[in-house]
Amino acid sequence: MAASQVVVATALVHDGRVLAAQRTRPPELAGLWELPGGRVEAGESEAAAVVRECREELGTTVVVGERIATDLRIAAGVLRVHTARPAGAAPPPRALEHAALRWVAAGEVAAVDWVGADRAVVADLVALLA
């Protein structure tokens, strides 16, 4: 039996807020918000995937922190959420693959219209920002 595909999501934290990215596709998820990320490629560590995905999706560089929450089963495999912070002189994130970006404070996290998998870690995000 093949190992499950691992997908990383990034809880990018800056100034006590976490970055949310608005999806453009697929149609059933367009308009919903997510933590940026994507599939871990063969031979790539989860931390390296977080760094690569933030560079590709946000045009910025991050320093990866700890994993939060537990493995979440999603259609693509297993979702693992990692914390990160902007690297020292990194440019601010830009919406290269998303409709929009927004910084969300702890008190706003629960009100965001998250994709299902990310909704499962709302309590973890609030705790992270507290």
Side-chain angles (χ1 to χ4, degrees), residues 40-123:
V40 177
E41 295 178 354
E44 185 178 46
S45 71
E46 290 179 26
V50 167
V51 170
R52 177 183 49 77
E53 288 287 346
C54 287
R55 185 179 59 246
E56 291 174 0
E57 292 186 9
L58 306 172
T60 195
T61 308
V62 301
V63 176
V64 182
E66 303 291 317
R67 266 189 65 193
I68 62 170
T70 185
D71 288 0
L72 299 165
R73 283 257 163 237
I74 58 173
V78 176
L79 180 69
R80 294 185 176 145
V81 181
H82 292 260
T83 64
R85 61 179 169 77
R94 301 184 319 274
L96 301 177
E97 296 184 6
H98 293 89
L101 301 177
R102 67 189 263 209
W103 290 100
V104 182
E108 303 167 320
V109 170
V112 172
D113 196 9
W114 297 103
V115 296
D118 291 348
R119 175 149 304 286
V121 299
V122 162

Side-chain angles (χ1 to χ4, degrees), residues 18-43:
V18 67
L19 187 72
Q22 191 175 38
R23 292 199 57 132
T24 58
R25 59 182 163 67
E28 62 272 17
L29 297 179
L32 297 179
W33 295 83
E34 69 176 358
L35 298 172
R39 288 185 161 91
V40 177
E41 295 178 354

